[in-house]
């Protein structure tokens, strides 16, 4: 298998961390991103202790800060990247609306706007990569009819300033992430850079890190053993597959759930809404070209 250079966000813990172990075990080179130098170096040190042959380099990207993303991208100069893997994501539990340092609603900022900016700035690096690919970790929660409120992305109030609900913010962010994936795939020249999205499944063991109290206990000791739950190992295998499977070379705009390529929701495939979101977000990020 060809060895790839992969920039992975969200690698400090959870699914990103599990992916890192798997990718390194398969001989790939990793730029392992965490939001602080201490975290990035600590994970790299542990991975190297497990396998001294690991080719892993710590990098710092705080996704709640556009300046941090720009600083990192600037430090990359013309280094090639084969795979840009956006795994980091948040699901707020606080009923209080929070914002990034740039004033975006935090879930939208970290889960969508940050990956958009990072992607835009690293397109030159990807163009120098081998069979380059961008992968975004989405969620089946972008679909209507599941637990909690249905996703409802209001272009008049994208930052949920009027009425904030943390689970709505999460669902909207994962819907908007798919709009980004499909619209970017339409805008990039055919057969240049593949853009894909994947839901890892419901993984209570890592999702438990975002919750506290009874819910955390319930996730770790009850939901984890339910038939609808996905193990960290299975999720990591499916996530890694989308980064490296050769059959995806030359393909773009695929969406994966439970290890299978499936159609995402009707709304996520609405090209007009995707274009509208992409233009709105590009403007918010100050991006004039793609
Ligand atoms: N677990 C599930 O059931 C499930 C289901 C569907 C989709 N997903 C998606 O899968 C991805 C990984 O989920 P997970 O379960 O592994 O979550 P997790 O255990 O909570 O890990 C989240 C990762 O994102 C990083 N992160 C959060 N905010 C950041 C920021 N501002 N800047 C940089 N990094 C930041 C975290 O870094 P720190 O260590 O610094 O906090 C951590 O490495 C997410 O996109 C999530 O939405 C998960």
């Amino acid at each position: 298998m060809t060895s790839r250079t992969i920039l992975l966000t969200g690698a400090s813990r959870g699914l990103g961390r599990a992916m890192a172990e798997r990718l390194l075990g398969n001989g790939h080179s990793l730029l392992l991103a965490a939001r602080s130098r201490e975290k990035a170096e600590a994970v790299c040190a542990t991975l190297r202790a497990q396998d001294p042959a690991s080719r892993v380099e710590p990098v710092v990207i705080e996704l709640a800060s556009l300046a941090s993303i720009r600083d990192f991208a600037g430090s990359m100069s013309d280094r090639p990247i084969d795979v840009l893997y956006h795994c980091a994501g948040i699901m707020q539990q606080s009923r209080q609306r929070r914002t990034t340092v740039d004033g975006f609603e935090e879930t939208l900022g970290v889960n969508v706007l940050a990956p958009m900016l990072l992607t835009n700035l690293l397109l030159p690096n990807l163009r120098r990569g081998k069979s380059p690919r961008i992968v975004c970790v989405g969620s089946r929660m972008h679909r209507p009819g599941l637990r909690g409120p249905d996703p409802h992305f209001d272009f008049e109030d994208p930052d949920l300033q009027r009425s904030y609900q943390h689970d709505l913010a999460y669902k909207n962010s994962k819907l908007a992430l798919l709009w980004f994936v499909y619209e970017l795939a339409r805008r990039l020249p055919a057969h240049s850079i593949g853009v894909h999205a994947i839901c890892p499944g419901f993984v209570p063991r890592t999702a438990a890190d975002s919750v506290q109290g009874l819910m955390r206990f319930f996730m770790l000791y009850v939901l984890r053993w339910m038939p609808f739950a996905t193990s960290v190992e299975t999720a990591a295998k499916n996530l890694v597959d989308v980064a490296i499977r050769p059959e995806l070379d030359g393909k773009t705009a695929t969406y994966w759930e439970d290890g299978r390529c499936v159609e995402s929701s009707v709304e996520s495939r609405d090209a007009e809404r995707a274009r509208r979101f992409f233009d709105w977000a590009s403007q918010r990020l100050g991006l004039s070209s793609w």
Side-chain angles (χ1 to χ4, degrees):
M1 187 182 291
T2 320
S3 166
R4 295 188 178 227
T5 299
I6 300 168
L7 169 59
L8 175 64
T9 69
S12 55
R13 60 190 165 89
L15 295 174
R17 166 69 193 274
M19 284 179 70
E21 284 184 22
R22 209 174 171 96
L23 287 164
L24 292 169
N26 289 344
H28 300 285
S29 300
L30 220 56
L31 293 164
L32 186 151
R35 62 175 124 184
S36 71
R37 171 117 342 247
E38 296 70 42
K39 275 190 186 182
E41 282 177 355
V43 180
C44 287
T46 311
L47 291 167
R48 284 196 206 102
Q50 284 168 8
D51 178 3
S54 294
R55 286 177 296 169
V56 58
E57 185 182 333
V59 301
V60 181
I61 313 178
E62 165 53 83
L63 294 166
S65 157
L66 301 187
S68 169
I69 296 169
R70 288 200 185 97
D71 281 352
F72 165 73
S75 75
M76 286 295 285
S77 59
D78 56 3
R79 278 180 72 178
I81 295 175
D82 303 322
V83 182
L84 170 55
Y85 213 119
H86 299 290
C87 183
I90 52 169
M91 178 157 182
Q92 292 293 357
Q93 293 309 307
S94 157
R95 315 248 159 231
Q96 206 72 18
R97 180 177 171 278
R98 295 163 48 136
T99 55
T100 66
V101 294
D102 306 283
F104 306 128
E105 185 282 310
E106 193 174 24
T107 316
L108 186 71
V110 170
N111 291 3
V112 197
L113 299 177
M116 278 189 77
L117 178 64
L118 189 58
T119 301
N120 179 280
L121 298 176
L122 294 180
L123 282 178
N125 306 78
L126 285 158
R127 290 194 180 104
R128 296 172 66 89
K130 298 183 292 276
S131 304
R133 224 173 261 190
I134 298 160
V135 187
C136 293
V137 180
S139 168
R140 71 182 74 216
M141 297 304 272
H142 80 277
R143 297 181 187 279
L146 300 175
R147 161 179 71 75
D150 279 350
H152 172 68
F153 194 95
D154 181 356
F155 282 92
E156 301 301 315
D157 186 23
D159 281 296
L160 296 175
Q161 294 192 49
R162 290 183 208 144
S163 65
Y164 175 76
Q165 280 175 273
H166 65 101
D167 41 3
L168 179 64
Y170 181 77
K171 289 178 172 198
N172 282 356
S173 75
K174 295 299 187 183
L175 171 63
L177 191 65
L178 287 175
W179 284 335
F180 163 60
V181 164
Y182 296 144
E183 183 61 17
L184 182 61
R186 276 188 280 273
R187 291 187 188 209
L188 291 172
H191 308 297
S192 59
I193 302 173
V195 197
H196 307 277
I198 174 168
C199 169
F202 173 48
V203 191
R205 208 172 100 204
T206 59
D209 278 352
S210 311
V211 295
Q212 280 150 10
L214 211 55
M215 182 48 102
R216 182 176 164 77
F217 179 87
F218 193 54
M219 281 203 182
L220 284 177
Y221 299 105
V222 181
L223 292 181
R224 187 174 156 191
W225 305 109
M226 292 289 149
F228 53 78
T230 304
S231 69
V232 174
E233 293 72 24
T234 301
K237 179 191 175 304
N238 291 338
L239 289 162
V240 163
D241 269 1
V242 177
I244 60 175
R245 61 164 69 206
E247 308 90 81
L248 279 185
D249 284 348
K251 297 212 171 88
T252 195
T254 69
Y255 173 68
W256 299 75
E257 273 179 14
D258 302 320
R260 289 193 308 274
C261 187
V262 296
E263 277 199 340
S264 56
S265 73
V266 173
E267 188 178 16
S268 71
R269 289 180 282 114
D270 181 327
E272 177 49 35
R273 284 175 79 71
R275 187 195 55 73
R276 189 172 173 195
F277 173 76
F278 197 97
D279 288 344
W280 171 83
S282 298
Q283 200 206 355
R284 284 287 294 269
L285 293 165
L287 301 174
S288 50
S289 66
W290 278 88

